[in-house]
């Protein structure tokens, strides 16, 4: 498979991986990376040669090492060779190959490498497609300024480094501060920060997101009957079921004793009910064993969507919880309550 580059001699200028043509193909020789002070490498996949060269020059001027490619089928094998710090993918009709590539790159990197879509500002179809089906990858204008693109990349890389340091324990207590100690899910402070970041992204680039509040029905009575330890096991079980039901790009957090919240980036109001139905159906079939008995779990659910509703992260979460309580009161009025049953 060949790799098409606009300027095969670019590597000598940017100090990146070197390309050589042999027998009509382009081979890649990987140079040593990881030295202190070495600029981050960015893989740019852009079918338009003129736009690719422009983006390469903008990033090079901002201090990045750039690997430019015009073919999407070359992106994955090249990614595995150079292991870039970030990837830019030009998204356009009719096939939106960038979205398929983004999905594969996320699998390869386990979500650890920042991805960005380059989208024409006037291409409403591409923006809508990426927001609805783009794996929650952020968007940047294809014809935007170099400073804007560089700022976005630096912010993504800074966030990536902070997460890696936290995961490695280099920042004392940071990893523990992000997660609930009982279920291992994200905690309330993390969720609120995630909502804040997604709201700023949506305000700037368009699109929306939804927050789903969930509560294990009958949990207090269950704890009273079987004890705290068994009740916490039920929470862990519920957390696992929730994690298996949502997408990889979604976040699940524990926000109260028996309350959870789902953050669904790129999910508008018209799509969130499908998620709620899927979660409810999953819990209808879930079973939890305690003292030889099988316990059926059920959830109270409520939603709020941005930008249909606006406010602070705390207000948005509270709105979802209020919707959940309204749904619970309605079921009580009609004689159908969500509870644990044996």
């Amino acid at each position: 498979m060949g790799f098409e580059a606009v300027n095969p001699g670019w590597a000598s200028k940017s100090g990146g991986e070197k390309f050589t043509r042999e027998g009509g193909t382009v081979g890649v020789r990987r140079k040593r990376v990881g030295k202190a002070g070495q600029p981050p490498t960015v893989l740019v996949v852009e079918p338009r040669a003129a736009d690719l060269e422009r983006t390469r020059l903008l990033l090079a001027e901002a201090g990045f090492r750039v690997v430019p490619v015009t073919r999407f089928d070359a992106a994955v094998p090249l990614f595995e060779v150079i292991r870039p710090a970030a990837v830019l993918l030009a998204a356009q009709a009719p096939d939106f190959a960038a979205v398929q590539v983004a999905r594969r790159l996320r699998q390869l990197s386990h979500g650890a490498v920042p991805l960005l879509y380059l989208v024409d500002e006037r291409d409403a179809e591409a923006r809508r497609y990426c927001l609805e089906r783009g794996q929650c990858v952020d968007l940047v204008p294809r014809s935007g300024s170099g400073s804007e693109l560089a700022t976005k990349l630096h912010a993504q890389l800074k966030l990536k480094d902070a997460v890696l340091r936290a995961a490695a324990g280099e920042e004392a207590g940071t990893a523990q501060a992000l997660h609930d100690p009982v279920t291992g899910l994200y905690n309330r402070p993390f969720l609120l920060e995630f909502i804040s970041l997604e709201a700023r992204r949506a305000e700037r680039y368009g699109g929306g997101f939804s927050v789903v509040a969930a509560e294990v029905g009958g949990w207090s009575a269950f704890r009273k009957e079987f004890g705290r330890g068994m009740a916490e096991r039920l929470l862990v079980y519920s957390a696992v079921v929730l994690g298996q039901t949502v997408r990889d790009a979604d976040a699940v957090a524990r926000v109260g004793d028996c309350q959870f919240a789902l953050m669904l980036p790129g999910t508008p109001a018209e799509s969130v009910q499908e998620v709620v139905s899927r979660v409810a159906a999953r819990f209808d079939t879930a079973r939890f064993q305690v003292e030889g008995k099988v316990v059926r779990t059920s959830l109270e659910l409520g939603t709020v969507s941005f930008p249909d509703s606006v406010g602070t992260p705390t207000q948005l979460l509270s709105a979802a919880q209020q919707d959940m309580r309204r749904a619970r009161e309605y079921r009580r009025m009609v004689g159908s309550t969500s509870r644990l049953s044996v």
Side-chain angles (χ1 to χ4, degrees):
M1 179 181 294
F3 298 111
E4 296 181 7
V6 170
N7 178 9
W10 60 267
S12 61
K13 297 179 181 179
S14 63
E17 283 68 23
K18 187 176 181 181
F19 286 72
T20 59
R21 291 191 176 274
E22 297 176 353
T25 62
V26 179
V28 180
R29 293 189 308 202
R30 188 177 182 183
K31 300 177 73 173
R32 290 192 300 171
V33 297
K35 293 183 178 179
Q38 190 175 42
T41 299
V42 179
L43 174 61
V44 181
V45 188
E46 167 63 86
R48 301 177 187 172
D51 287 339
L52 178 59
E53 180 66 5
R54 176 181 176 276
T55 302
R56 184 188 71 79
L57 291 173
L58 289 174
L59 292 177
E61 290 174 359
F64 292 95
R65 300 168 62 221
V66 185
V67 179
V69 182
T70 58
R71 290 171 48 187
F72 283 103
D73 61 355
V76 172
L78 187 55
F79 177 90
E80 293 182 297
V81 172
I82 66 174
R83 291 293 175 177
V87 180
L88 297 179
L89 301 165
Q92 62 189 41
D95 57 351
F96 295 104
V99 175
Q100 301 301 321
V101 172
R103 181 179 294 111
R104 180 56 180 152
L105 295 184
R106 272 200 161 163
Q107 293 173 345
L108 290 173
S109 66
H110 303 287
V113 175
L115 307 176
L116 294 172
Y117 291 132
L118 293 168
V119 179
D120 288 328
E121 291 185 279
R122 298 182 180 180
D123 191 343
E125 180 186 4
R127 292 177 62 83
R128 182 172 60 253
Y129 189 95
C130 290
L131 289 170
E132 294 178 354
R133 307 183 188 182
Q135 307 292 302
C136 300
V137 173
D138 208 348
L139 312 180
V140 291
R142 209 170 193 171
S143 58
S145 66
S147 61
E148 180 180 6
L149 181 56
T151 299
K152 175 73 72 171
L153 279 172
H154 281 303
Q156 293 273 6
L157 293 173
K158 184 177 180 180
L159 176 61
K160 169 191 171 183
D161 290 342
V163 171
L164 291 176
R165 287 196 301 270
E170 294 180 13
E171 295 181 359
T174 301
Q176 291 80 0
L178 297 176
H179 294 85
D180 170 59
V182 174
T183 62
L185 296 176
Y186 292 117
N187 57 20
R188 183 187 179 96
F190 175 89
L191 180 80
L192 294 177
E193 181 62 24
F194 191 8
I195 294 174
S196 177
L197 290 172
E198 189 64 17
R200 291 199 295 269
R201 187 200 66 79
E203 288 172 351
R204 184 170 185 180
Y205 300 105
F209 62 87
S210 295
V211 178
V212 178
E215 182 177 275
V216 179
W219 184 79
S220 295
F222 181 89
R223 181 178 62 180
K224 184 176 181 180
E225 179 177 356
F226 296 103
R228 178 179 176 181
M230 193 62 68
E232 288 186 346
R233 285 181 56 191
L234 177 59
L235 291 178
V236 173
Y237 174 76
S238 300
V240 171
V241 174
L242 284 172
Q244 293 175 342
T245 306
V246 299
R247 305 169 301 178
D248 290 341
D250 300 330
V252 184
R254 183 187 178 199
V255 297
D257 283 345
C258 59
Q259 291 188 355
F260 302 91
L262 315 179
M263 174 60 187
L264 311 176
T267 303
E270 55 268 25
S271 302
V272 70
Q273 289 306 317
E274 179 183 345
V275 179
V276 169
S277 298
R278 187 169 68 246
V279 172
R282 181 68 179 83
F283 268 82
D284 283 344
T285 60
R287 300 293 184 270
F288 175 74
Q289 288 192 349
V290 52
E291 297 182 353
K293 300 178 181 179
V294 176
V295 177
R296 296 181 59 185
T297 58
S298 59
L299 283 185
E300 308 282 359
L301 295 164
T303 68
V304 66
S305 298
F306 182 96
D308 301 68
S309 299
V310 296
T312 66
T314 300
Q315 289 171 337
L316 290 173
L317 176 59
S318 296
Q321 292 171 326
Q322 290 172 5
D323 185 62
M324 177 186 70
R325 287 190 285 270
R326 284 194 295 268
R328 179 172 57 203
E329 290 302 318
Y330 174 78
R331 281 192 294 272
R332 286 177 177 173
M333 291 176 58
V334 298
S336 174
T337 58
S338 296
R339 62 185 183 275
L340 291 168
S341 60
V342 179

